[in-house]
Amino acid sequence: MTQQVTITLPDGSQREVARGTTPAEIAAAIGPGLAKAALAARVDGELVDITRPLEADAQLALVTAKDEADALELVRHDYAHILAEAVQALFPGTQITFGPSTDDGFYYDVAAPADRGPFTEEDLPAIEAKMREIIAADKPLRREVWTREQLVERWTGQGERFKAEWAAELPGDEDLTVYWSGSDWLDMCRGPHLASTGKVDPQAFKLTRVSGAYWRGDQKNAMLSRIYGTGWLNKKQLDAHLLRLEEAAKRDHRKIGQEMDLFHLQQEAHGSVFWHPQGFVIWRQLEAYMRRAIDDAGYNEVKTPQVMDARQWEQSGHWGKYRENMFVIPDEVPNVEDEGPLVSNDAQWMALKPMNCPAHVLIFRQGIKSYRDLPLRIYENGCCHRNEPHGALHGLMRVRQFTQDDAHIFCREDQIVDEVRAFCALADRIYKDFGFTYSIKLALRPEKRFGSDEMWDLAETELRNAVIAAGLATDEYGWEELPGEGAFYAPKLEWHLTDAIGRTWQVGTIQSDRVLPERLDASYVGENGARHRPVMLHRAIFGSYERFIGILIEHYAGKFPLWLAPVQAVVATIVSDADGYASEVVEKLRAAGIRAETDLRNEKINYKVREHSLGRVPNLLVVGRREAEEGTVALRRLGSDEHQKVLSVEEVIAQLVAEATPPDLAKP
């Protein structure tokens, strides 16, 4: 007699089916429309193939294109496999490695055949065409369970040395899976996948670029070709994404930074920014804004050392958990002779700080703290260094030297929720001042962590309760919990900003930490006269000044609000007879606090207008003989469709002063 299993659907209804029935068969039994729409299934919460047999009682939810997050993950995973199959079909001898899905598409790392060089973007059209052939063939995607020995034998026999190396390291006592595409190509993969290659839309993907990538991310290993693509559920989504990419390219902070003369980077200081005068104006305005915010919120600003002894980092746990990302330096005078090692074997080690938190604990520990002293909020515009790989560096967005708007709140257990709520309110005001909307995520405990499960339970609950109390744990604020995404010492709340073209950026955080105060022996005297551990809340709003400025450049496309604009007004002359008057106007603007410059060059006014528009100067004040005689200026606004307005100097100054007032100072 066939064994039956009970399948419970999302609406609570149940079906008795034969053991081994697939989700696809259940979908067909419900109706032909669902059978066609179903892409995969969630069985007891796990995403699985639509053809995976059901072996026991289970909760079943069928996944369709309406479940967009799951559907996109599936199709992008399939596109990656189809890409690898296409490359090997076109270029025999190509070795494949791995190809995950990404936030907007997929990539695959491949090793080109020995008889040709690395793949280039010139190869992409042919690869795309081959991918569409594979999709049109509608090849079934079939899952099989193999042993580690079978995998190693397969990959070794095929000359796939990268796959063979990886397979040899997999657990020998676990079932390992491969997926066949038809009967002539397979890849090692956990899945899940769609039922066949024809389930993806052949017009909903595009290969975008090729870059180099080291095998397993180690620069000592072979260099591979990483082929990137973007993949979607339909062509409409793809077209919308390509339009966003086009707009993003126009807003690239590196391009705009050069056009506006804000900063530059060069090889002599990998990952460190050379700020030019115009760019540093933006920095100083942000720094002043943040100082006003933290002063109003009751923080105490400090400054801590750049270099600390390795023993301090060992005690904090960073030396063991984070050393690969730290710049370490010997605490001795280096050898200056031509012969012999630069540093002796007896050197004591120090490190540039990758973060500010241990130093803030050391400040807290100075003197005896009472429960009445808490909460103690310590803030620092702290310069940090992290040893990021060269290939990971990206303009202002990923650097090695950066400055954090970093603070740590030392508080009692009963103060945690109120302090986190207050931070939520502060972050909300600041992000809205810059025109951002945001979502909030709770990043939960990672697999490798310090502290007990009870400690993590408490810390996660406190952050969750604070967001609920602040009214932010709602769909409106994109509330979501992210398993495994917390820091090794604490869970954290994350603020994900949405910019002007719909991209999201993870920026602000607050973390509830009981581990570091314990490791560094921070304590206060409680009301009962005994020593107690404070809870340490790590928090930042900008994240880092460098990255936040990069985000702002792209958010505003370089057209900053007037209070942030490096140059707020340029007074440009039509004729040289107005040079003296232009200088007088600039003096008055500067006296009123406006960052103004003159343009007295012997160039036509249309040329000057075009040049200052490219430089994103928000206000151009044009003057000639008539304006000099009448004490007026012709005001042109950047990006405005209105014709220039002729105003008195006093009227222009009054307007610009009002508009240039930072948002926190403009509020009643």
Side-chain angles (χ1 to χ4, degrees), residues 434-455:
F434 289 94
F436 290 113
T437 57
Y438 62 83
S439 59
I440 300 180
K441 317 293 183 186
L442 174 57
L444 304 172
R445 69 196 74 185
E447 184 176 343
K448 295 181 179 179
R449 58 186 183 270
F450 287 144
S452 66
D453 286 345
E454 292 77 13
M455 185 181 293

Side-chain angles (χ1 to χ4, degrees), residues 253-405:
H253 71 281
R254 296 165 297 180
K255 170 178 172 288
I256 293 174
Q258 184 176 12
E259 292 171 352
M260 296 181 67
D261 193 26
L262 302 179
F263 66 90
H264 83 274
L265 299 107
Q266 62 186 69
Q267 290 186 346
E268 287 77 4
H270 272 297
S272 298
V273 184
F274 293 82
W275 288 102
H276 297 189
Q278 303 282 51
F280 206 59
V281 167
I282 300 171
W283 181 296
R284 291 178 61 193
Q285 289 299 312
L286 291 177
E287 199 170 50
Y289 172 93
M290 185 56 74
R291 279 203 170 97
R292 292 192 297 270
I294 60 111
D295 286 347
D296 288 346
Y299 288 79
N300 302 283
E301 187 169 2
V302 299
K303 193 71 176 173
T304 59
Q306 284 291 301
V307 180
M308 292 200 298
D309 193 287
R311 287 169 292 190
Q312 178 64 43
W313 298 110
E314 288 173 359
Q315 189 177 356
S316 70
H318 292 88
W319 195 254
K321 295 282 188 180
Y322 205 75
R323 188 170 64 232
E324 66 184 18
N325 298 111
M326 297 170 70
F327 287 100
V328 297
I329 54 178
D331 187 14
E332 72 173 23
V333 177
N335 177 26
V336 296
E337 302 298 330
D338 292 336
E339 297 181 358
L342 187 64
V343 180
S344 75
N345 292 329
D346 299 326
Q348 297 294 314
W349 291 99
M350 305 185 77
L352 286 167
K353 65 176 178 180
M355 50 195 67
N356 303 295
C357 30
H360 289 188
V361 176
L362 297 183
I363 289 178
F364 178 85
R365 285 180 52 190
Q366 293 297 301
I368 298 173
K369 299 295 187 296
S370 163
Y371 70 96
R372 295 188 184 91
D373 298 320
L374 306 184
L376 179 60
R377 308 179 188 98
I378 297 177
Y379 175 88
E380 180 173 8
N381 285 315
C383 181
C384 298
H385 293 79
R386 294 182 186 171
N387 194 2
E388 302 282 0
H390 287 194
L393 302 175
H394 177 71
L396 299 179
M397 303 303 191
R398 189 89 177 260
V399 292
R400 286 176 153 185
Q401 176 186 296
F402 55 94
T403 299
Q404 295 178 309
D405 65 309

Side-chain angles (χ1 to χ4, degrees), residues 517-564:
E518 180 74 30
R519 293 183 70 93
L520 298 183
D521 196 27
S523 66
Y524 67 91
V525 178
E527 191 172 4
N528 61 359
R531 291 178 69 226
H532 298 266
R533 295 285 182 218
V535 176
M536 186 178 182
L537 302 177
H538 306 245
R539 48 112 294 177
I541 294 178
F542 291 163
S544 79
Y545 279 82
E546 287 81 359
R547 185 166 176 269
F548 195 69
I549 291 173
I551 293 169
L552 288 179
I553 291 171
E554 299 196 2
H555 177 57
Y556 296 126
K559 299 174 183 178
F560 292 98
L562 195 58
W563 72 279
L564 279 177

Side-chain angles (χ1 to χ4, degrees), residues 122-253:
E122 293 179 356
D123 298 311
L124 299 186
I127 298 172
E128 279 190 2
K130 190 64 178 178
M131 289 176 67
R132 292 192 172 93
E133 285 183 25
I134 294 169
I135 293 169
D138 197 21
K139 300 172 70 175
L141 299 175
R142 187 177 79 257
R143 178 180 183 269
E144 286 186 358
V145 177
W146 285 24
T147 66
R148 180 177 65 185
E149 289 70 27
Q150 286 177 296
L151 287 170
V152 172
E153 181 180 356
R154 165 80 183 196
W155 298 129
T156 303
Q158 295 285 324
E160 296 274 9
R161 69 178 183 90
F162 300 104
K163 286 285 194 184
E165 176 187 319
W166 187 264
E169 298 176 11
L170 294 173
D173 57 351
E174 292 184 12
D175 289 339
L176 306 171
T177 55
V178 300
Y179 277 79
W180 285 93
S181 174
S183 58
D184 58 344
W185 190 87
L186 67 77
D187 198 0
M188 182 168 64
C189 180
R190 293 177 180 174
H193 281 279
L194 300 176
S196 66
T197 60
K199 294 296 184 181
V200 298
D201 187 336
Q203 303 304 318
F205 79 94
K206 181 176 178 58
L207 300 183
T208 54
R209 61 191 176 95
V210 181
S211 71
Y214 292 109
W215 167 235
R216 304 179 84 163
D218 188 338
Q219 59 187 2
K220 297 177 183 177
N221 291 337
M223 175 66 78
L224 307 171
S225 294
R226 177 168 292 178
I227 302 175
Y228 288 91
T230 184
W232 300 85
L233 299 177
N234 52 60
K235 189 174 186 301
K236 182 178 179 181
Q237 288 184 342
L238 172 66
D239 290 343
H241 177 69
L242 295 178
L243 186 62
R244 286 194 298 272
L245 289 182
E246 183 180 340
E247 181 60 29
K250 295 176 186 176
R251 292 169 177 259
D252 190 312
H253 71 281

